[in-house]
Amino acid sequence: MRHWPRPVVVALDVVNRRGKAVGVRLVRYTGKSPHFIHPKHLVETPGHDWYATHLAAGDLVLDVGCANGAHTLKAAARVKRVIGMDYDVRQLRVAAATARRCGLGNLHLFAWDLVRPFPFAGDAFDAVLFLDVIEHLEARQAVLGEIRRVLRPGGRLLVSGPNRESRWRERLRGAGLFAYQDEDHKIEYSSAEFLDELEAAGFVVDGALEPVVYDTPWAGLIDVVGGFSLTLYARLARWKRERALAEPRESTGFRALARKPA
């Protein structure tokens, strides 16, 4: 890996980390959404809604850590019923408002601390979404255990987590900088560690891990672009997806379809 001067890495890191928040604010200030929301949720890009192909029309789905409901609503358009839960009441209000605007009546949203036992009977759900949440938790095995409990035998867990082994993460570590993708992350994984986490909770991973998007130091700037032009953002998002498929080790993270043993 070619050496980059530390000041260059520091400057790119600042742009990368601040750009996401700027992009979220610009989306609202420029009238692209009535809410503060990431531009990735406003465009159709290949692979973004990867979990949807693993859902069936008759499914009862639980979205654990649903946040603003972007994935909850996508799932609701395909399945019988979706229940979304998250600790952040402000984000849940955004999800509820969007659901009303879209006329979706087959979902229920409520506030819940994810580290508490889930308020559902065992074997209740056909599928669980657990997307970009696991890295924010300390009690990961406990939460995965609750997910396994409420899934029916053979039920599907659609889960994603961050990759710590891309070149950009290595450059940050080499410069002595904080290398996690988010300051709130409690963990980031190698591909082997991510599989171990899921298997330790009693899940069987179905097939290979799937990459997400390319981990570029320009991601924050791309998010800012999304605040001004969704068309250009969608083009850049497709480029990031194509690069990740070509170089899976350079992906921002992993996606997995896992199952509760029948």
Side-chain angles (χ1 to χ4, degrees), residues 28-231:
R28 181 176 177 183
Y29 297 154
T30 58
K32 294 176 178 61
S33 170
H35 309 292
F36 292 113
I37 190 170
H38 196 283
K40 69 183 179 183
H41 297 306
L42 301 176
V43 298
E44 294 291 335
T45 54
H48 181 61
D49 303 326
W50 64 279
Y51 50 87
T53 60
H54 301 293
L55 302 176
D59 281 347
L60 176 60
V61 177
L62 175 65
D63 190 355
V64 177
C66 63
N68 62 27
H71 299 303
T72 323
L73 272 65
K74 290 284 186 180
R78 299 180 65 96
V79 304
K80 182 178 180 180
R81 185 166 178 78
V82 182
I83 297 175
M85 61 183 191
D86 197 279
Y87 79 98
D88 192 331
V89 175
R90 291 176 300 174
Q91 292 277 21
L92 289 170
R93 290 194 185 111
V94 172
T98 309
R100 287 193 298 271
R101 193 165 60 249
C102 295
L104 292 170
N106 64 332
L107 74 163
H108 175 68
L109 304 162
F110 70 100
W112 195 260
D113 183 350
L114 302 186
V115 301
R116 294 174 57 196
F118 296 176
F120 307 109
D123 302 344
F125 295 92
D126 300 292
V128 171
L129 305 182
F130 194 37
L131 305 172
D132 302 325
V133 176
I134 192 170
E135 61 268 25
H136 295 279
L137 303 174
E138 294 282 5
R140 293 177 294 277
Q141 282 297 306
V143 176
L144 285 169
E146 278 297 283
I147 291 173
R148 187 175 185 273
R149 180 183 67 80
V150 302
L151 269 175
R152 292 171 182 155
R156 287 146 282 150
L157 168 62
L158 290 312
V159 58
S160 59
N163 173 29
R164 64 174 175 82
E165 292 194 317
S166 71
R167 281 193 296 265
W168 178 235
R169 300 300 132 194
E170 291 176 1
R171 289 191 193 282
L172 291 171
R173 285 192 291 272
L177 300 174
F178 179 74
Y180 279 8
Q181 296 172 28
D182 189 289
E183 291 182 358
D184 188 57
H185 284 189
K186 307 303 187 292
I187 190 171
E188 294 190 351
Y189 298 94
S190 68
S191 57
E193 290 166 348
F194 191 59
L195 289 171
D196 288 345
E197 185 87 271
L198 299 175
E199 291 169 358
F203 288 98
V204 177
V205 177
D206 191 348
L209 296 178
E210 181 184 326
V212 184
V213 295
Y214 183 61
D215 190 13
T216 169
W218 303 108
L221 186 58
I222 292 172
D223 290 340
V224 172
V225 168
F228 291 105
S229 171
L230 291 179
T231 301

